[in-house]
Amino acid sequence: MMNIVIETIMKRKSVRLYEPTPIPKDIINTIIKAGNQAPSTGDEKEVEEGGKKRKITDYQPWRFVVVEDPEFKQKLVQTIEPIRSNFYEGMKRTMPEMYEQGMKLYEVMEEPKDLIFYSAPVILYVIGPRRNSIGCAMVCENIMIAAVSLGLGSCYVGFGSMVKGDADVVQTLELKDGERIYGPIVLGYPKVDPSENQVSTLAELRPKKKEPMIKWI
Ligand SMILES: Cc1cc2nc3c(=O)[nH]c(=O)nc-3n(C[C@H](O)[C@H](O)[C@H](O)COP(=O)(O)O)c2cc1C
């Protein structure tokens, strides 16, 4: 059984080679709206009104930071790069095939090579309460499906959240105690058709998705 939604979900793949073409603002806003549409449990939040503090139940407790600025992207890369390269060193031993694949991707990348955000034009941070991980993960998936539906590629880049080492980055992202970064998700127009090019998706060595394990009761 197929329809446009199922087809879009099936089409999503992590894309790791992007055109530098910027994404129009209205498209980014539409994607964020789709993210914001995710289910949300109420999060207890303290607010101050007229000098008095009170607790409210906050829905959609997440927020979004859209990074397009080349200088800030550079700062992010500098902050995360030691962690990434350390991880890749370990991968040589623990996941040699995956490491080889990463190096293949590195070869086909244009300068300046970026194995963290893949030189995507947009890095979209989803930031929300640490205790709201389920809702925030749903926001991320909505974003990635919406991106496919609008002809964009995406990749959930866990490395992109490892920014605590740089106080300036933390300040610019306005990260507060109790908050956590979900994603970030990189977005952009794929350089090659993700359904065909294996290097851009790092899919060459990845086994096909397993069949779902289902128990019917
Ligand atoms: C929590 C999480 C963190 C991830 N971090 C990264 C990352 O840092 N870099 C990357 O290239 N892909 C990252 N991915 C993407 C996975 O590698 C990818 O989803 C997986 O290999 C399956 O491939 P597919 O997305 O094409 O189906 C991450 C995915 C998840 C769910």
Side-chain angles (χ1 to χ4, degrees), residues 12-14 16 98 115-116 118 155-160 201-202 206 209:
R12 188 213 55 81
K13 277 185 181 182
S14 296
R16 298 183 176 91
M98 197 63 184
L115 274 176
I116 300 170
Y118 309 111
C155 186
Y156 188 112
V157 175
F159 272 128
T201 60
L202 284 188
R206 194 173 303 135
K209 300 273 177 196

Short mmCIF file of all heavy atoms in Angstrom, two decimals, residues 12-14 16 98 115-116 118 155-160 201-202 206 209, ligand 1:
data_model
loop_
_atom_site.label_atom_id
_atom_site.label_comp_id
_atom_site.label_asym_id
_atom_site.label_seq_id
_atom_site.Cartn_x
_atom_site.Cartn_y
_atom_site.Cartn_z
N ARG A 12 13.39 8.86 2.71
CA ARG A 12 14.38 9.56 3.55
C ARG A 12 15.63 8.73 3.77
O ARG A 12 15.57 7.56 4.08
CB ARG A 12 13.77 9.90 4.92
CG ARG A 12 14.69 10.80 5.75
CD ARG A 12 14.60 10.52 7.23
NE ARG A 12 14.85 9.14 7.56
CZ ARG A 12 16.08 8.61 7.68
NH1 ARG A 12 17.16 9.34 7.52
NH2 ARG A 12 16.22 7.31 7.96
N LYS A 13 16.76 9.37 3.55
CA LYS A 13 18.07 8.75 3.78
C LYS A 13 18.97 9.83 4.32
O LYS A 13 18.77 11.00 3.98
CB LYS A 13 18.68 8.29 2.47
CG LYS A 13 18.21 6.98 1.96
CD LYS A 13 19.00 6.62 0.74
CE LYS A 13 18.51 5.29 0.19
NZ LYS A 13 19.28 4.88 -0.96
N SER A 14 19.99 9.48 5.05
CA SER A 14 20.95 10.48 5.48
C SER A 14 21.79 10.91 4.28
O SER A 14 22.41 10.06 3.64
CB SER A 14 21.85 9.91 6.57
OG SER A 14 21.08 9.60 7.70
N ARG A 16 24.91 13.13 2.67
CA ARG A 16 26.20 13.65 3.17
C ARG A 16 27.03 14.38 2.11
O ARG A 16 28.21 14.59 2.28
CB ARG A 16 26.99 12.51 3.82
CG ARG A 16 26.25 11.91 5.04
CD ARG A 16 27.06 10.84 5.72
NE ARG A 16 26.39 10.34 6.93
CZ ARG A 16 25.57 9.32 6.96
NH1 ARG A 16 25.28 8.65 5.88
NH2 ARG A 16 25.01 8.94 8.12
N MET A 98 33.41 0.97 7.99
CA MET A 98 32.75 2.28 8.10
C MET A 98 33.79 3.40 7.93
O MET A 98 33.53 4.42 7.29
CB MET A 98 32.08 2.38 9.47
CG MET A 98 31.04 3.46 9.58
SD MET A 98 29.69 3.12 8.45
CE MET A 98 28.69 4.55 8.68
N LEU A 115 33.64 16.84 7.48
CA LEU A 115 33.07 15.52 7.80
C LEU A 115 32.12 15.58 8.99
O LEU A 115 31.71 14.55 9.50
CB LEU A 115 34.19 14.52 8.09
CG LEU A 115 34.81 13.79 6.88
CD1 LEU A 115 35.96 12.91 7.33
CD2 LEU A 115 33.78 12.95 6.12
N ILE A 116 31.79 16.79 9.43
CA ILE A 116 30.82 16.90 10.53
C ILE A 116 29.46 17.30 9.97
O ILE A 116 28.49 16.55 10.08
CB ILE A 116 31.30 17.90 11.60
CG1 ILE A 116 32.64 17.45 12.18
CG2 ILE A 116 30.23 18.02 12.72
CD1 ILE A 116 33.32 18.47 13.06
N TYR A 118 29.04 18.23 6.70
CA TYR A 118 29.00 17.93 5.26
C TYR A 118 28.76 19.19 4.42
O TYR A 118 28.11 19.12 3.37
CB TYR A 118 27.97 16.83 4.98
CG TYR A 118 28.17 15.63 5.88
CD1 TYR A 118 27.25 15.31 6.88
CD2 TYR A 118 29.31 14.84 5.77
CE1 TYR A 118 27.46 14.23 7.73
CE2 TYR A 118 29.53 13.76 6.62
CZ TYR A 118 28.60 13.47 7.59
OH TYR A 118 28.82 12.41 8.44
N CYS A 155 20.44 15.17 7.34
CA CYS A 155 21.16 14.16 8.13
C CYS A 155 21.12 14.60 9.59
O CYS A 155 21.37 15.76 9.91
CB CYS A 155 22.60 14.02 7.65
SG CYS A 155 23.52 12.68 8.46
N TYR A 156 20.77 13.67 10.46
CA TYR A 156 20.83 13.91 11.91
C TYR A 156 22.30 13.79 12.30
O TYR A 156 22.90 12.74 12.13
CB TYR A 156 19.99 12.86 12.64
CG TYR A 156 19.79 13.12 14.11
CD1 TYR A 156 18.53 13.44 14.62
CD2 TYR A 156 20.85 13.02 15.02
CE1 TYR A 156 18.34 13.65 15.98
CE2 TYR A 156 20.66 13.25 16.38
CZ TYR A 156 19.41 13.55 16.85
OH TYR A 156 19.22 13.77 18.20
N VAL A 157 22.87 14.88 12.81
CA VAL A 157 24.31 14.89 13.08
C VAL A 157 24.57 15.00 14.59
O VAL A 157 24.70 16.11 15.13
CB VAL A 157 25.01 16.04 12.31
CG1 VAL A 157 26.48 16.13 12.68
CG2 VAL A 157 24.87 15.84 10.80
N GLY A 158 24.62 13.84 15.24
CA GLY A 158 24.85 13.82 16.69
C GLY A 158 26.13 14.55 17.08
O GLY A 158 26.18 15.20 18.14
N PHE A 159 27.15 14.46 16.23
CA PHE A 159 28.41 15.16 16.52
C PHE A 159 28.17 16.65 16.75
O PHE A 159 28.89 17.30 17.52
CB PHE A 159 29.38 15.02 15.33
CG PHE A 159 30.24 13.79 15.40
CD1 PHE A 159 30.31 12.91 14.33
CD2 PHE A 159 30.99 13.51 16.53
CE1 PHE A 159 31.10 11.78 14.38
CE2 PHE A 159 31.78 12.38 16.60
CZ PHE A 159 31.84 11.51 15.52
N GLY A 160 27.20 17.18 16.03
CA GLY A 160 26.93 18.63 16.09
C GLY A 160 26.47 19.11 17.45
O GLY A 160 26.45 20.32 17.72
N THR A 201 25.44 8.80 0.63
CA THR A 201 24.59 8.34 1.72
C THR A 201 25.36 7.46 2.69
O THR A 201 24.82 7.06 3.72
CB THR A 201 23.40 7.53 1.18
OG1 THR A 201 23.92 6.42 0.46
CG2 THR A 201 22.53 8.36 0.27
N LEU A 202 26.61 7.15 2.37
CA LEU A 202 27.40 6.20 3.16
C LEU A 202 26.66 4.87 3.27
O LEU A 202 26.79 4.15 4.25
CB LEU A 202 27.69 6.72 4.57
CG LEU A 202 28.74 7.78 4.74
CD1 LEU A 202 29.02 8.03 6.22
CD2 LEU A 202 30.06 7.41 4.07
N ARG A 206 26.23 -0.31 4.40
CA ARG A 206 25.15 -0.45 5.39
C ARG A 206 24.17 -1.51 4.90
O ARG A 206 23.70 -1.44 3.77
CB ARG A 206 24.43 0.89 5.53
CG ARG A 206 23.54 0.94 6.72
CD ARG A 206 22.99 2.34 6.89
NE ARG A 206 24.05 3.31 7.00
CZ ARG A 206 24.05 4.47 6.35
NH1 ARG A 206 23.05 4.80 5.57
NH2 ARG A 206 25.03 5.31 6.50
N LYS A 209 17.70 -2.07 5.45
CA LYS A 209 16.93 -2.02 6.71
C LYS A 209 16.40 -3.42 7.01
O LYS A 209 15.93 -4.10 6.11
CB LYS A 209 15.74 -1.06 6.57
CG LYS A 209 16.12 0.38 6.26
CD LYS A 209 16.41 1.19 7.50
CE LYS A 209 16.86 2.59 7.09
NZ LYS A 209 17.49 3.34 8.14
C1 LIG B 1 21.09 9.86 17.40
C2 LIG B 1 21.71 9.84 16.01
C3 LIG B 1 22.94 10.43 15.81
C4 LIG B 1 23.51 10.45 14.53
N1 LIG B 1 24.69 11.11 14.33
C5 LIG B 1 25.24 11.14 13.10
C6 LIG B 1 26.46 11.87 12.87
O1 LIG B 1 27.02 12.50 13.77
N2 LIG B 1 26.95 11.89 11.61
C7 LIG B 1 26.34 11.24 10.57
O2 LIG B 1 26.84 11.30 9.44
N3 LIG B 1 25.18 10.56 10.75
C8 LIG B 1 24.62 10.50 11.99
N4 LIG B 1 23.42 9.85 12.18
C9 LIG B 1 22.74 9.25 11.03
C10 LIG B 1 22.89 7.73 11.01
O3 LIG B 1 24.22 7.38 10.69
C11 LIG B 1 21.91 7.16 9.95
O4 LIG B 1 20.61 7.54 10.27
C12 LIG B 1 21.99 5.65 9.89
O5 LIG B 1 23.23 5.25 9.39
C13 LIG B 1 20.87 5.06 9.00
O6 LIG B 1 20.92 5.59 7.70
P1 LIG B 1 19.72 6.38 7.04
O7 LIG B 1 19.46 7.60 7.85
O8 LIG B 1 20.18 6.70 5.65
O9 LIG B 1 18.52 5.46 7.06
C14 LIG B 1 22.83 9.83 13.43
C15 LIG B 1 21.58 9.24 13.66
C16 LIG B 1 21.01 9.25 14.92
C17 LIG B 1 19.65 8.65 15.12
#
